[in-house]
Amino acid sequence: MTKIALLTCDKLPHLKPSDQQLIPELKKHNIEARAAIWDNSEEDWTAYDYLVFRNTWDYYEKEETFNQWLSKIEHLGIPTLNSLNVIQKNKHKFYLQELEQNGITILPTYFQKKTAHLDLKNNIPAHWEKMVIKPAFSAGSYLTKVFEPYEMELINIEYQSIAQEKDLLVQEFQPEITSSGETSFIFFNKEFSHAVNKKPAANDFRIQVQFGGQYTLVQPSESLIQQAQEIVNQFPEPLLYARVDGIVKNNTIHLMEVECIEPDLYFDYAPEALRKFIHAIVQLIQ
């Protein structure tokens, strides 16, 4: 019997409820799966045939520890889904630069490398009326803030110590996020599964459900699905899952990010999603 660790964090030691459903379903395919906290020093990773990243939702708060752990797993030679190559690249949002160079439409973004002298005023386009700043190694609106040009100096001061330790992204704020919301296109084994639209609560820009975001299953046009497929196809390696997050403007996806580490896959919103995900795991490990 194949043994799989479904990687999670100490905040969710038994996985998110929707991910807990994976364990009995995988057993039907002769796959023994169990939840395992990624930074648990007592865990014997060599006991598993595969590690599957699921609810590792604190990795960005433990950057150094996470990087060391990835190196350890690589040294042990244990295969992971998604692969360590994908994880290493996807954990740092400067991958958006490469996608843009390859012709993918991304949100207008300024990529700020680590610096002891943060100076946004001389680097941000003057026509931007509102901006979002966040670390390149982050998730879930971590250290994320919306600001306007008149607040630039305050942001320079507030983020100076962060900029000394972390690369940053500054993106032009898109007002559509509050009206049309953000759409997530979910792929399993590089095949489109389903899409979910996420709108923030009134007077907020964060679409996460913990901040009051409202989620709805949607059926995108074939054109939008094809655009999301082209983004996923930028990855040469196999992908157990990928979530393409973007804002749709004029029937074009403006990419915010491609989640390949620990995204919520919205099993609760799409009845067939769990079955498709199980099928993708079975395909990739056989």
Side-chain angles (χ1 to χ4, degrees), residues 96-131:
L96 287 167
Q97 248 178 329
E98 186 180 327
L99 290 176
E100 184 179 34
Q101 289 162 4
N102 291 347
I104 301 298
T105 302
I106 71 168
L107 294 189
T109 303
Y110 170 64
F111 298 91
Q112 173 67 64
K113 291 187 175 177
K114 286 181 197 174
T115 177
H117 305 286
L118 187 61
D119 179 19
L120 296 178
K121 191 170 184 179
N122 289 315
N123 291 294
I124 301 299
H127 67 273
W128 286 11
E129 295 178 2
K130 212 171 187 181
M131 292 136 277

Side-chain angles (χ1 to χ4, degrees), residues 97-237:
Q97 248 178 329
E98 186 180 327
L99 290 176
E100 184 179 34
Q101 289 162 4
N102 291 347
I104 301 298
T105 302
I106 71 168
L107 294 189
T109 303
Y110 170 64
F111 298 91
Q112 173 67 64
K113 291 187 175 177
K114 286 181 197 174
T115 177
H117 305 286
L118 187 61
D119 179 19
L120 296 178
K121 191 170 184 179
N122 289 315
N123 291 294
I124 301 299
H127 67 273
W128 286 11
E129 295 178 2
K130 212 171 187 181
M131 292 136 277
V132 180
I133 187 168
K134 58 188 172 186
F137 193 104
S138 71
S141 294
Y142 175 65
L143 295 178
T144 300
K145 186 163 272 196
V146 173
F147 66 99
E148 296 182 32
Y150 75 88
E151 299 171 288
M152 197 88 74
E153 285 308 317
L154 286 172
I155 292 292
N156 276 336
I157 295 166
E158 184 177 344
Y159 275 79
Q160 181 57 71
S161 60
I162 299 169
Q164 287 177 326
E165 298 181 5
K166 298 175 182 287
D167 296 330
L168 299 170
L169 277 79
V170 184
Q171 296 178 312
E172 183 181 19
F173 180 79
Q174 307 295 304
E176 290 83 359
I177 193 73
T178 55
S179 54
S180 308
E182 171 188 321
T183 301
S184 291
F185 301 77
I186 291 113
F187 290 76
F188 300 139
N189 205 5
K190 292 190 174 177
E191 290 184 12
F192 176 71
S193 169
H194 57 288
V196 171
N197 179 262
K198 302 170 290 187
K199 290 182 180 173
N203 302 316
D204 206 334
F205 68 96
R206 300 167 298 184
I207 51 77
Q208 290 84 2
V209 72
Q210 65 265 32
F211 301 120
Q214 296 292 314
Y215 296 3
T216 311
L217 185 70
V218 292
Q219 182 54 55
S221 67
E222 285 301 318
S223 167
L224 290 173
I225 292 171
Q226 186 53 42
Q227 289 174 47
Q229 184 74 59
E230 287 168 13
I231 293 168
V232 168
N233 290 346
Q234 295 286 320
F235 293 78
E237 306 94 337

Side-chain angles (χ1 to χ4, degrees), residues 21-37:
Q21 300 174 65
L22 295 170
I23 295 172
E25 290 301 316
L26 284 166
K27 200 163 191 175
K28 295 175 185 176
H29 297 272
N30 209 32
I31 298 169
E32 183 186 326
R34 63 180 291 268
I37 298 168

